[in-house]
Amino acid sequence: MSYGSKASHRHGKSIPEEEVQPNNNINNKKKMTSSPGKASASFMSWSAKEVAAVLLRHPILCVFGVSLLFFMGVEYTLLMVPSSSPPFDIGFILTRPLHSLLAASPSVNSLFAALNTLFVGMQTAYIIWTLLLEGRPRPTIAALFMFTCRGIMGYSTQLPLPQGFLGSGVDFPVGNVSFFLFFSGHVAGAVIASLDMRRVRRYEMASVFDVLNILQGVRLLATRGHYTIDLAVGVMAGFIFDILAGKYEEAKKPHMTHCPSQDAIALQNGH
């Protein structure tokens, strides 16, 4: 019996155990160097070229970073509007000339209101059309989500009617009835319709809706029918609820593959 180092036999050859067993000291060193607690911070490895590449490839994010610092300075040094004063709204300031014109010409105001009501009817007709005739429920789902959320938020925080509000009997909702200010369902509905038009490659129609939506926003500010924040959130709500409707449609896809109108389309195509 040999008292030397133990050996392992492989293919009839003796191999020292030191060559078979891993070196525990080396493994322990690797574990110590790869320990998260001793790892250097990520920014320590950034080079000047990498930083310059970020500035060149992501200019929008850089602008947002600068705007963050700018608006922090504005927010912390701004004089708050006292509770006895009307809200400050930059959209009202920019539309003062148009507001004066509409206030002096009620007939012109009613004409613009009627055209705006017609545009709301166009939005509604398109969304219903996509559901009943084309069998695509996504715009309708988005509108249902949006108006439900708008009702909850509008009732939860009821903003005061802006000073100088110019109502009209032909404005939507027709009849000078009460309405929620936050947020604008007019704007959000137009965005939902426009996004769907682009999804099905109706680009020219979508562009027309976008232009009309901008004109609608200017009119709502000029008549003091909405605050600027109502319109801005309306745009974002249109995008958000369109995305949520798409996710809902995808989640319920096994149950939504059959739509009555799809059978009619199939018959028309001879299938």
Side-chain angles (χ1 to χ4, degrees), residues 77-116:
T77 58
L78 190 67
L79 294 177
M80 300 291 288
V81 178
S83 57
S84 58
S85 300
F88 171 84
D89 193 292
I90 192 169
F92 291 178
I93 296 175
L94 296 176
T95 57
R96 276 177 181 169
L98 184 56
H99 177 265
S100 300
L101 173 64
L102 297 178
S105 304
S107 58
V108 176
N109 180 45
S110 294
L111 174 62
F112 286 176
L115 293 174
N116 204 157

Side-chain angles (χ1 to χ4, degrees), residues 139-209:
T140 302
I141 296 171
L144 292 175
F145 284 178
M146 182 270 291
F147 280 109
T148 300
C149 180
R150 178 177 179 269
I152 295 172
M153 299 176 70
Y155 184 80
S156 299
T157 301
Q158 300 180 35
L159 300 173
L161 191 66
Q163 294 182 3
F165 169 67
L166 302 176
S168 173
V170 295
D171 200 358
F172 185 86
V174 178
N176 284 323
V177 298
S178 59
F179 59 94
F180 292 133
L181 284 166
F182 188 84
F183 49 88
S184 175
H186 290 63
V187 171
V191 171
I192 290 173
S194 175
L195 290 174
D196 183 79
M197 292 170 185
R198 283 183 164 78
R199 194 157 40 242
V200 294
R201 302 178 183 276
R202 294 169 176 159
Y203 298 116
E204 294 182 359
M205 188 183 296
S207 299
V208 171
F209 260 58

